[in-house]
């Protein structure tokens, strides 16, 4: 799995002009799944993200986690994270998992985050989505399970 983590002050996702998910302070997660990813990968990254210390404490140091702040998550499926652009001018998406596998892992990932006590909003799997966010910092990280 590959997840782009963006610290956000506010974010929302719309599908067909309708808001399907929105959060205040927290993380926007762009979530990519590849063929061999399992629920173990999803659990590993959910734990990593929930405990990632990238929010400022009273001294201005990145020392607090999303759990410490009771922050929120906007999780958006993003198969294009596995786009390979090394050859030619058109991305190759062969490394992206097929939708029937990807949705199982993506939903497990969101469930693991919720089980940690986090509020998780999502986009719509497989839909064309508009994501709007105010990136805080900006702080953007890329995490992988393998």
């Amino acid at each position: 799995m590959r997840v782009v983590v963006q610290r956000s002050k506010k974010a929302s996702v719309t599908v067909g002009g309708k808001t399907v998910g929105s959060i205040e302070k927290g993380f926007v997660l762009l979530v990519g799944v590849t063929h061999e990813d399992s629920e173990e990968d999803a659990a590993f990254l959910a734990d990593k993200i929930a405990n990632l210390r990238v929010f400022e404490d009273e001294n201005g140091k990145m020392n607090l986690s999303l759990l410490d702040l009771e922050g929120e998550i906007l999780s958006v499926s993003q198969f294009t994270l596995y786009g390979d652009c090394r050859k030619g001018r058109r991305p190759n998406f062969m490394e992206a998992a097929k939708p029937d596998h990807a949705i199982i892992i993506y939903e497990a990932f969101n469930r693991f985050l919720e089980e940690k006590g986090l509020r998780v909003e999502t986009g719509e799997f497989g839909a064309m989505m508009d994501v709007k966010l105010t990136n805080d910092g900006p702080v953007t990280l890329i995490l992988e399970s393998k």
Side-chain angles (χ1 to χ4, degrees):
M1 284 183 76
R2 185 174 291 157
V3 180
V4 175
V5 179
Q6 298 176 81
R7 194 174 73 179
S8 176
K9 292 181 180 180
K10 184 176 189 148
S12 64
V13 62
T14 59
V15 176
K18 178 184 173 212
T19 300
V20 296
S22 65
I23 63 165
E24 295 299 320
K25 188 173 185 74
F27 287 147
V28 173
L29 305 177
L30 304 178
V31 183
V33 177
T34 191
H35 310 290
E36 63 272 357
D37 288 335
S38 66
E39 288 195 15
E40 270 187 13
D41 295 295
F44 170 80
L45 283 176
D47 184 64
K48 176 72 86 174
I49 289 164
N51 292 289
L52 199 58
R53 294 174 14 189
V54 296
F55 293 94
E56 283 86 12
D57 63 14
E58 63 279 353
N59 298 316
K61 302 283 186 201
M62 280 198 222
N63 207 22
L64 299 175
S65 72
L66 197 59
L67 290 172
D68 294 328
L69 294 178
E70 298 180 358
E72 302 171 320
I73 288 178
L74 179 60
S75 176
V76 179
S77 62
Q78 186 82 29
F79 80 94
T80 60
L81 289 179
Y82 279 100
D84 184 349
C85 299
R86 291 178 290 183
K87 293 183 181 176
R89 295 177 187 223
R90 185 177 192 173
N92 173 331
F93 297 107
M94 296 301 291
E95 291 302 310
K98 301 284 187 232
D100 58 334
H101 175 66
I103 194 167
I104 291 168
I105 304 305
Y106 172 69
E107 289 177 347
F109 172 72
N110 293 328
R111 185 178 69 248
F112 291 135
L113 289 166
E114 288 172 339
E115 288 171 0
K116 295 191 173 303
L118 295 166
R119 179 174 168 265
V120 178
E121 292 278 306
T122 66
E124 186 178 309
F125 186 89
M128 187 63 99
M129 296 175 272
D130 294 327
V131 180
K132 182 167 37 169
L133 73 134
T134 302
N135 198 316
D136 183 13
V139 173
T140 303
L141 302 165
I142 300 171
L143 303 178
E144 295 191 86
S145 60
K146 293 183 172 104

